[in-house]
Amino acid sequence: MKRTAKAHWNGTLKEGKGELTTQSTTLNNTQYSFKTRFEEGVGTNPEELIAAAHAGCFTMAVGAVLTQAGFTPGDLNTEATLDLDMASLTITGIHLELTGSKIENVSEDKFKEIAEGAKANCIISKALSVPITLSVSYQ
């Protein structure tokens, strides 16, 4: 299986603008620029997309592992926070914050164990070479 995305850029780094399009067209000529990447502006940026991909992949992995362990997943919510060191222009880490609720018969300890396993084994975690931290709450 292959997934594709396309990027178009026109202009200088600070004044230029670009568009991103994904194979599914969920992103379809979605704008990005210096302002959306390093300041505040309307549009997306590569780092935000990495965080979104990681949150989505990890949350699905938690659901899969819960199912494999015999639990019925309820509500799973993850916020991924990517840290970008502006001085070195390096991603220094990603923190995943998972909240789970409405999962019958799972203990908080078991839920945390499952989350740790999903963090280590989700496809995006395996693709990244940065420290990944996790906090888990179960309601």
Side-chain angles (χ1 to χ4, degrees), residues 86-123:
M86 292 298 293
S88 65
L89 295 177
T90 303
I91 296 170
T92 58
I94 297 179
H95 179 72
L96 301 170
E97 187 171 331
L98 170 66
T99 302
S101 63
K102 301 178 186 171
I103 306 164
E104 292 183 24
N105 301 319
V106 69
S107 69
E108 188 170 350
D109 287 342
K110 185 64 174 176
F111 184 66
K112 287 180 179 180
E113 176 188 319
I114 285 170
E116 285 291 342
K119 177 189 82 144
N121 293 303
C122 92
I123 293 168

Side-chain angles (χ1 to χ4, degrees), residues 23-66:
Q23 177 179 339
S24 67
T25 67
T26 296
L27 296 180
N28 191 7
N29 294 318
T30 302
Q31 68 179 8
Y32 75 112
S33 66
F34 183 87
K35 285 188 177 191
T36 64
R37 191 165 190 191
F38 300 114
E39 297 172 5
E40 294 296 323
V42 177
T44 191
N45 60 72
E47 293 77 19
E48 176 181 74
L49 295 172
I50 291 170
H54 202 186
C57 182
F58 166 74
T59 307
M60 287 180 75
V62 171
V65 177
L66 281 166

